[in-house]
Amino acid sequence: MTIVLHHYPASPFAELARLALGLKQLEWRSVVIPNVMPKPDLVVLTGGYARTPVLQVGADIYCDTAAILDALEAIAPSPSLYPAPLGDLQRILAGWAGAAQFGAHVGAALGSLPPGTLPQAFVDDRKARLGFDFAKMARAVPHLEAQVLTSATWLDATLSDGRAFIGGEQPGHADLAFYTNLWFVRGRARNSEAAKAIAAMPHLGAWFDRVTAIGHGSPVEASAEEAIAIAGAATPDLSENVDPISGFTAGQTVRVKTEGSGDAPVEGRLLRVGPTGIAIARDTGSGTVAVNFPRLGQMVLAG
Ligand SMILES: N[C@@H](CCC(=O)N[C@@H](CS)C(=O)NCC(=O)O)C(=O)O
């Protein structure tokens, strides 16, 4: 079983996945993908999903960090990404960190960069795909930094009782999700007011260092061609398990689309759908892959 992460260094969600690989001390192949469209080698595997990161385990493809972390938890159950006492509540905290809070952190960081810092291709891509308006973001920096500092203050207060991680002595999904938001602000906008205020929070700073120390496991560089060959040589999990409440049947052609986004839907034959996940089968031209998504935030649409 070969684990491949399709990612690029500066992506916060990719950093979340890299830390999850580190927590599990896994060996993995690192395929660096473009940070703008087009991503032809990635979509050969995903069928259209082009966000960062994507995990590949042989011919099983996992889109979105929620599905990626579930896959890693199944591959290497210990140490868990969902340790007691929070357990699955880690997911709810991570979900908040990865939604409005993610936007505030990214906006506070990118908005405080001097104009002209970001490559034009990146500015154009994010405008077209995600509706980013960098001039508006720059004007909103004080507001966005306030959103960042509210959650940073709550985290610092939570950690002030001496716990090592958000849920206690073991790190979990929530730690990785909040960390990557702060990592982006500290890394991209070192001299911003938010980065300085965060650096002055003692409990948060010590926790940040503990999460950094988790590391990334053991990455080995690989090419997109190698990743496609790995998928071609492997057999995906084509087991079927369709929850009748979904209104769909196994084998039916469906499209899976990220809610509230302009992202391309991914078409395939429905394998599995339940309260926590979706899987479809599709042909890449050189074999079949199973493409997995989280249930939350993904729409299943009839063919
Ligand atoms: N909900 C997704 C969000 C992924 C996401 O939006 N990633 C950003 C990068 S951090 C992205 O895809 N940006 C556009 C790109 O990389 O092309 C997840 O948890 O993986």
Side-chain angles (χ1 to χ4, degrees):
M1 173 194 58
T2 307
I3 300 173
V4 185
L5 189 70
H6 300 260
H7 67 131
Y8 56 82
S11 155
F13 281 106
E15 181 64 9
L16 198 171
R18 292 187 290 259
L19 287 165
L21 288 156
L23 187 80
K24 307 278 187 191
Q25 297 191 343
L26 292 167
E27 185 177 306
W28 50 283
R29 308 290 165 93
S30 165
V31 175
V32 173
I33 59 172
N35 68 351
V36 294
M37 294 298 264
K39 308 188 188 190
D41 298 324
L42 181 68
V43 301
V44 164
L45 296 171
T46 65
Y49 183 90
R51 297 268 180 153
T52 312
V54 168
L55 184 81
Q56 173 188 355
V57 183
D60 294 290
I61 311 296
Y62 298 89
C63 302
D64 192 297
T65 51
I68 291 172
L69 267 61
D70 275 341
L72 296 178
E73 188 76 359
I75 289 168
S78 180
S80 176
L81 285 154
Y82 306 96
L86 293 186
D88 282 336
L89 278 175
Q90 294 267 354
R91 300 177 194 276
I92 294 172
L93 294 172
W96 185 63
Q101 277 288 305
F102 173 72
H105 284 71
V106 168
L110 298 185
S112 60
L113 296 176
T117 311
L118 293 167
Q120 196 57 42
F122 181 84
V123 171
D124 293 344
D125 178 275
R126 293 305 186 267
K127 186 172 185 216
R129 288 168 65 207
L130 308 178
F132 280 17
D133 176 339
F134 286 94
K136 194 170 155 195
M137 217 178 252
R139 288 195 300 275
V141 164
H143 167 72
L144 297 169
E145 288 192 324
Q147 308 304 301
V148 167
L149 291 179
T150 301
S151 65
T153 301
W154 286 343
L155 286 174
D156 192 59
T158 301
L159 294 159
S160 69
D161 65 3
R163 70 184 73 191
F165 297 101
I166 292 170
E169 291 314 300
Q170 307 301 325
H173 190 167
D175 293 280
L176 309 190
F178 282 110
Y179 171 91
T180 50
N181 283 349
L182 295 166
W183 170 87
F184 193 74
V185 172
R186 289 177 61 154
R188 289 307 297 257
R190 210 167 287 281
N191 298 318
S192 66
E193 290 307 317
K196 283 188 245 168
I198 290 163
M201 294 184 188
H203 309 292
L204 194 64
W207 163 86
F208 189 91
D209 292 344
R210 283 192 286 276
V211 180
T212 305
I214 292 171
H216 294 161
S218 308
V220 178
E221 274 179 43
S223 66
E225 294 71 27
E226 284 172 79
I228 292 167
I230 287 167
T235 308
D237 176 5
L238 298 178
S239 63
E240 295 178 347
N241 187 8
V242 173
D243 189 342
I245 206 168
S246 70
F248 294 101
T249 50
Q252 182 178 350
T253 298
V254 295
R255 285 172 300 134
V256 180
K257 183 164 166 45
T258 304
E259 199 177 66
S261 81
D263 293 5
V266 180
E267 188 172 291
R269 299 180 298 285
L270 186 63
L271 294 170
R272 301 179 288 278
V273 62
T276 61
I278 305 162
I280 60 176
R282 50 176 302 277
D283 298 316
T284 63
S286 51
T288 303
V289 292
V291 188
N292 296 265
F293 300 87
R295 188 69 188 85
L296 212 55
Q298 297 293 334
M299 298 184 292
V300 185
L301 309 163

